Amino acid sequence: MRRRTVTSGGIEELLEAAASAERAAAAEQAAAPAPAAPPAAKQREQLRDEFTFELPRGYVDDEGTVHRTGTMRLATARDELRPQIDLRVKENPAYLSVVLLSQVITGLGTVTDIHAGVVERMYATDVAFLQDFYRRINSEGHTHAAVTCPHCHNPFEVDLSGGRLGE
């Protein structure tokens, strides 16, 4: 086997060459323009985690006020796991959607304290709407649905997050 020997002069040359290469790379990096940071609005749009909706019927509170518009945030893993240990869900698995919806709805009209009792008192059509809305934003990432006109058979897209039925 052949061994290579390096003299002390060779090491200094190698170190100097490495240092000059580092300086050249640093100068080149400083001369290159820095990539522009995305605008805050565009970045926020990419990270959209809250969606507005309008209930078909509306939630009626204790004073008789009807609340139709609200907001729902994206669910986390914790949101989906927490109902599994809830005693109400263990006794009645159908209660899972009530608990889950109460965790992800962040506002409903002027009602800010959303809990399972609020979702329990909603009309069945509104709960079904919210379940579909939840599925759409957490699975598909949007609230649009492709539909076809029953009269002219033209396809078009509707936003399920707002608007009254039939509009």
Side-chain angles (χ1 to χ4, degrees):
M1 187 183 276
R2 191 171 168 194
R3 293 186 182 193
R4 183 175 176 190
T5 59
V6 179
T7 63
S8 63
I11 291 176
E12 289 174 4
E13 289 173 12
L14 290 174
L15 292 174
E16 181 59 36
S20 65
E22 285 179 17
R23 285 191 298 266
E28 186 178 306
Q29 188 177 14
K42 187 174 183 178
Q43 191 176 23
R44 177 67 181 150
E45 184 176 282
Q46 292 173 350
L47 301 173
R48 185 174 179 197
D49 62 351
E50 218 171 55
F51 298 83
T52 59
F53 60 84
E54 186 173 337
L55 295 174
R57 300 233 185 263
Y59 167 71
V60 181
D61 64 15
D62 293 332
E63 289 80 38
T65 306
V66 178
H67 304 276
R68 282 201 172 94
T69 59
T71 54
M72 182 184 292
R73 66 173 172 78
L74 291 176
T76 63
R78 176 177 279 180
D79 292 326
E80 294 206 348
L81 291 171
R82 188 178 292 152
Q84 301 296 329
I85 59 171
D86 192 301
L87 294 177
R88 298 169 294 187
V89 174
K90 286 183 177 182
E91 290 175 11
N92 182 3
Y95 202 73
L96 180 124
S97 64
V98 171
V99 174
L100 188 56
L101 288 173
S102 70
Q103 292 180 136
V104 296
I105 297 172
T106 56
L108 185 58
T110 58
V111 181
T112 56
D113 180 28
I114 309 297
H115 49 82
V118 171
V119 179
E120 284 176 353
R121 292 179 42 205
M122 289 183 178
Y123 293 109
T125 53
D126 290 336
V127 173
F129 169 84
L130 290 170
Q131 288 170 332
D132 184 56
F133 190 75
Y134 174 90
R135 183 188 56 78
R136 282 190 180 281
I137 67 172
N138 285 288
S139 316
E140 300 168 14
H142 60 80
T143 60
H144 299 278
V147 295
T148 303
C149 176
H151 300 292
C152 66
H153 303 288
N154 285 332
F156 62 97
E157 197 173 81
V158 294
D159 186 359
L160 298 175
S161 65
R164 302 284 298 135
L165 294 174
E167 288 183 353

